[in-house]
Amino acid sequence: MAHNIVASGADLAIVDTNLDEASRQRDAITEWLQRERPGSQTRVTAHYADVADPESVDACLAEVLDAHGSKTINGLVTSAGFTENFAAVEYPVDRMRRLWEVNVDGTYLFATAVAKHLMARNEQGSMVFIGSMSGSIVNVPQPQAPYNASKAAVRQLCASFSVEWAQAGIRVNCISPGYMLTALTEKILADKPALKAAWTSRIPQGRMGAPADLAGPVVFLLSDASGYVTGADLRVDGGYTVI
Ligand SMILES: NC(=O)c1ccc[n+]([C@@H]2O[C@H](COP(=O)([O-])OP(=O)(O)OC[C@H]3O[C@@H](n4cnc5c(N)ncnc54)[C@H](O)[C@@H]3O)[C@@H](O)[C@H]2O)c1
């Protein structure tokens, strides 16, 4: 997603608790720019934030503005999130709360901070929340009730903000991916490799998604091409939720 955002001509700030990984991504994208778009003025930066912590979010936004010459932040993608698989009756309460803090509070805190920034400058913007098809269906066989509920909350936050902020010119949409091959799912599959066949058998397109499958949808929703689209939930799941 980051790659395609930059390829579309936007500056980019990558934010993560894992600053090393964010910095690696920044360097890889910067190298690509130097190779493919020599002379490009596009700026890519990496920053630390714990999205669950309001002070960390505010400090991060200040740092991003500083690093980008105080340019308006008119696009936001909220993607920080995680899942864990425990039966509901065995789910450790502290883990359940942490999941909610990151997946739901994190989306809320970053989105409202950027909305305040846009409103203060009287500028328009577009936000894309990364939800999950798990916000609409229950995955099987792995148990993950708090995750499923958190992603339903992300979708409903998107809908609520889209209405609240429509008059301010801020669009808010959600992308709900299906099973994508990323570090998150690779960790689950490393423990239980048989899950891959179980998951894939339910995907009409017959394969798990690649991160690149989200690149087009995210740029479409951030750009003016989707100017009359707000409050939408775009499922990018190879058809999983259709059947
Ligand atoms: N992989 C899938 O199949 C899949 C499917 C549907 C939705 N999603 C969603 O996509 C998003 C990205 O997932 P992914 O598969 O790329 O997982 P990932 O684990 O590869 O990436 C998640 C990133 O979030 C960061 N993060 C975690 N807690 C954070 C916090 N408190 N503050 C800031 N950053 C934090 C992690 O360091 C990590 O870099 C998540 O919201 C996930 O729920 C993933």
Side-chain angles (χ1 to χ4, degrees):
M1 287 191 287
H3 196 103
N4 225 31
I5 287 168
V6 168
S8 77
D11 290 335
L12 177 71
I14 304 172
V15 175
D16 206 302
T17 39
N18 185 344
L19 185 56
D20 286 346
E21 178 61 15
S23 304
R24 261 195 300 280
Q25 297 298 333
R26 174 202 60 204
D27 294 346
I29 294 170
T30 305
E31 271 170 39
W32 177 86
L33 269 174
Q34 283 163 354
R35 199 172 57 246
E36 301 293 329
R37 311 270 161 93
S40 159
Q41 297 298 307
T42 302
R43 183 173 296 194
V44 184
T45 56
H47 309 268
Y48 169 87
D50 175 355
V51 298
D53 173 359
E55 284 173 15
S56 179
V57 169
D58 288 343
C60 175
L61 280 185
E63 189 183 294
V64 169
L65 286 168
D66 195 42
H68 287 262
S70 207
K71 270 189 184 171
T72 300
I73 302 168
N74 40 28
L76 172 70
V77 180
T78 60
S79 179
F82 70 94
T83 185
E84 287 173 323
N85 299 133
F86 295 100
V89 290
E90 287 160 11
Y91 215 106
V93 171
D94 60 331
R95 297 306 304 161
M96 182 191 77
R97 291 198 170 134
R98 181 62 186 162
L99 182 142
W100 198 267
E101 272 179 13
V102 176
N103 293 12
V104 183
D105 299 353
T107 304
Y108 187 98
L109 292 171
F110 231 100
T112 51
V114 171
K116 278 187 251 178
H117 158 81
L118 286 168
M119 288 168 186
R121 292 185 176 203
N122 209 12
E123 293 267 9
Q124 305 199 340
S126 174
M127 301 186 186
V128 179
F129 295 173
I130 304 301
S132 169
M133 67 174 179
S134 311
S136 308
I137 54 104
V138 174
N139 305 65
V140 285
Q142 72 279 20
Q144 48 180 40
Y147 180 78
N148 299 343
S150 77
K151 292 300 183 174
V154 167
R155 190 161 42 83
Q156 187 63 348
L157 277 181
C158 160
S160 307
F161 292 159
S162 75
V163 172
E164 262 192 59
W165 301 340
Q167 292 295 319
I170 302 171
R171 295 185 299 109
V172 189
N173 291 290
C174 187
I175 289 179
S176 289
Y179 285 115
M180 315 299 288
L181 264 174
T182 65
L184 179 147
T185 42
E186 275 163 11
K187 200 169 133 211
I188 298 172
L189 292 174
D191 289 341
K192 293 187 181 147
L195 274 181
K196 190 169 183 185
W199 291 349
T200 307
S201 69
R202 292 170 177 266
I203 304 172
Q205 286 195 347
R207 66 169 178 91
M208 288 180 66
D213 290 317
L214 299 172
V218 84
V219 168
F220 165 68
L221 288 173
L222 285 174
S223 76
D224 293 344
S226 59
Y228 198 53
V229 182
T230 197
D233 178 32
L234 178 53
R235 295 191 198 172
V236 182
D237 62 4
Y240 189 105
T241 50
V242 180
I243 55 171

